[in-house]
Amino acid sequence: MSDVLATCAAAQSASPTLARTSTSQRNAVLAEMAERIDGAHDAILAANAEDLDAGAAAGLSTAMQDRLRLDSTRLADITAGLHALVDAPDPIGRVSRGFTLPNGLDVRQVTVPLGVIAMVYEGRPNVTVDAAGLAMKSGNACVLRGSSSAINSNTALARLLREALTARQLPADCVCLIADTSRDSVKQLGRARGLVDLLIPRGGAGLIQAVISDSQVPVIETGVGNCHVYVDRAADLPMAARIVTNAKTHRPSVCNAAETLLVHREVADSFLPLIAQRLRDAGVALRGDEATRARIDAEPASSEDWDTEYLDLVLAVAVVDDLDAALAHIDRHGTHHTEAIVTSDRTAARRFVAGVDAAAVMVNASTRFTDGGEFGFGAEIGISTQKLHARGPMGLAELTTTKYVVEGDGQVRV
């Protein structure tokens, strides 16, 4: 058995013990995890500095370095997420539906853990803790495979998480980190059928497609975010400028950042100079179609720009004739993640909401709100852009399945 499969087998062995724990036991582990991370900031940041130095030497982009970077504020956010999970309702043991049959049998559909959740992700070492915390709260063991760029940070964090488990008399293998960051380890993880119940890839399009195409384990597709903001002819333009600026610049390296701006032709003369100045002041490079470049300075947009998730301070801009043209553009180029409209016309808003195919649709709000924490879920394990089992930010509820519990008093089938 390969090291990857052996790691999955260890998590599978630990899974039944975790599934039998009470809410209070799992909450105690989460609190212990937070306490150990809070007490080890210096060690974590030293490990993260090694990763950042290696990334800079390897030519890692500014956006990717931002994803990788930890600091005291981000570590505090990580532990705040764990404490939020302590306070969150237990997703296990909830009755989804219940009824009594004519023969007297009581039938209940009850939520239970999935078992072993594996996750493949790039950069962002906070995901190590977010995923482990969500898995713990929902009674699932987890197998984590981060990227080579974050190996030192992930190793330091996983060690603390495993120490918290043993301190609370649970198997350390409820949280497993795969040390092998080669492509082969991803392939092996995708073939761990019978050992892994769900595989979640979180990263760029290449990683996600590689996992989906090669996996024998059920996969939830997450998070490539070619997100659009459409400024309608009935938009409040100062509001639209605030929303577009936030959606692009608040944190450009994440999947819910805006990558394309669509502007209704009737407001393009007024809005484009306004937003162009704001975005340039924030360091954003603009790539526009011909109609955009007739109104503002921008680099010519190529056909590839409309399909690009930049994850950087770059924005593609197009002028569209109407709402239908905006929807058509999004349909051709969107990734079903998050789309936004800015308008004071409620009919236009309803048409946009009904017509766009995305996991989240924003009306007069930034795309940056598509986030488990912002939705009140606590930490999230990813944003699903598919339509089965889970769609949108995946919190605790999406990490459970159900089983039917049937109680009788001696009934037999005739």
Side-chain angles (χ1 to χ4, degrees):
M1 182 180 288
S2 72
D3 289 345
V4 171
L5 294 181
T7 299
C8 295
Q12 186 194 43
S13 295
S15 175
T17 300
L18 181 56
R20 291 191 293 267
T21 56
S22 65
T23 305
S24 60
Q25 286 176 293
R26 282 177 271 124
N27 284 345
V29 174
L30 290 166
E32 184 79 26
M33 288 175 170
E35 183 177 344
R36 287 177 180 269
I37 291 171
D38 280 337
H41 277 205
D42 289 346
I44 297 168
L45 294 179
N48 185 244
E50 292 183 50
D51 291 329
L52 288 168
D53 289 345
L60 199 66
S61 71
T62 301
M64 293 301 102
Q65 289 186 52
D66 177 65
R67 283 190 165 203
L68 178 58
R69 180 172 290 104
L70 292 174
D71 55 30
S72 294
T73 299
R74 289 186 179 181
L75 287 175
D77 289 342
I78 287 171
T79 53
L82 290 172
H83 287 299
L85 286 172
V86 172
D87 295 334
D90 191 344
I92 302 303
R94 294 186 175 187
V95 178
S96 300
R97 55 178 171 171
F99 47 89
T100 302
L101 297 174
N103 62 7
L105 289 175
D106 288 323
V107 181
R108 287 173 290 130
Q109 187 180 20
V110 182
T111 55
V112 296
L114 286 163
V116 178
I117 297 170
M119 188 160 188
V120 180
Y121 51 104
E122 297 174 325
R124 299 186 69 174
N126 63 290
V127 174
T128 299
V129 182
D130 291 348
L134 282 161
M136 174 58 53
K137 182 72 177 193
S138 56
N140 295 289
C142 64
V143 176
L144 306 173
R145 191 278 193 187
S147 60
S148 59
S149 63
I151 186 61
N152 294 297
S153 306
N154 290 338
T155 299
L157 290 167
R159 182 174 60 251
L160 294 167
L161 300 175
R162 287 168 63 86
E163 288 173 358
L165 281 158
T166 56
R168 293 291 172 168
Q169 290 75 53
L170 284 175
D173 288 333
C174 292
V175 175
C176 293
L177 179 72
I178 294 175
D180 181 357
T181 59
S182 69
R183 292 183 180 181
D184 186 60
S185 68
V186 176
K187 290 184 178 180
Q188 292 184 55
L189 194 55
R191 293 168 184 167
R193 191 171 182 87
L195 298 175
V196 170
D197 296 285
L198 178 65
L199 177 56
I200 304 172
R202 182 170 172 178
L207 170 69
I208 292 170
Q209 288 306 312
V211 172
I212 291 170
S213 62
D214 202 40
S215 182
Q216 299 170 6
V217 173
V219 175
I220 288 184
E221 184 175 353
T222 66
V224 175
N226 187 14
C227 304
H228 300 72
V229 179
Y230 165 59
V231 177
D232 187 48
R233 65 180 177 182
D236 177 323
L237 298 187
M239 175 197 291
R242 292 193 302 273
I243 288 171
V244 171
T245 303
N246 180 265
K248 180 69 262 183
T249 68
H250 182 255
R251 195 172 178 193
S253 65
V254 294
C255 62
N256 58 17
E259 305 291 16
T260 300
L261 169 64
L262 304 175
V263 181
H264 195 293
R265 189 172 298 278
E266 291 184 20
V267 296
D269 287 343
S270 300
F271 184 68
L272 283 174
L274 169 65
I275 192 59
Q277 186 60 54
R278 287 201 180 196
L279 292 173
R280 287 197 196 95
D281 289 346
V284 178
L286 302 177
R287 298 178 185 176
D289 64 356
E290 184 176 351
T292 297
R293 288 183 282 113
R295 293 168 170 85
I296 60 171
D297 290 331
E299 292 295 318
S302 68
S303 58
E304 290 79 14
D305 281 308
W306 310 120
D307 297 307
T308 300
E309 183 187 29
Y310 298 111
L311 301 175
D312 206 348
L313 289 172
V314 182
L315 185 68
V317 185
V319 175
V320 293
D321 289 335
D322 52 28
L323 173 59
D324 288 335
L327 289 171
H329 182 104
I330 293 169
D331 187 56
R332 285 194 303 273
H333 305 289
T335 55
H336 313 294
H337 191 294
T338 301
E339 309 297 352
I341 181 173
V342 184
T343 186
S344 58
D345 182 341
R346 299 308 299 176
T347 299
R350 286 192 293 269
R351 284 184 58 209
F352 187 86
V353 170
V356 77
D357 182 10
V361 186
M362 302 291 169
V363 178
N364 295 328
S366 171
T367 59
R368 287 284 289 120
F369 284 108
T370 304
D371 177 85
E374 294 296 325
F375 280 14
F377 299 166
E380 70 179 26
I381 204 164
I383 297 173
S384 170
T385 54
Q386 66 176 35
K387 298 183 181 180
L388 296 178
H389 173 62
R391 197 177 196 200
M394 296 173 58
L396 293 169
E398 288 73 28
L399 299 183
T400 65
T401 185
T402 63
K403 65 182 175 185
Y404 284 92
V405 178
V406 183
E407 294 188 10
D409 55 4
Q411 289 91 334
V412 296
R413 184 169 176 176
V414 297

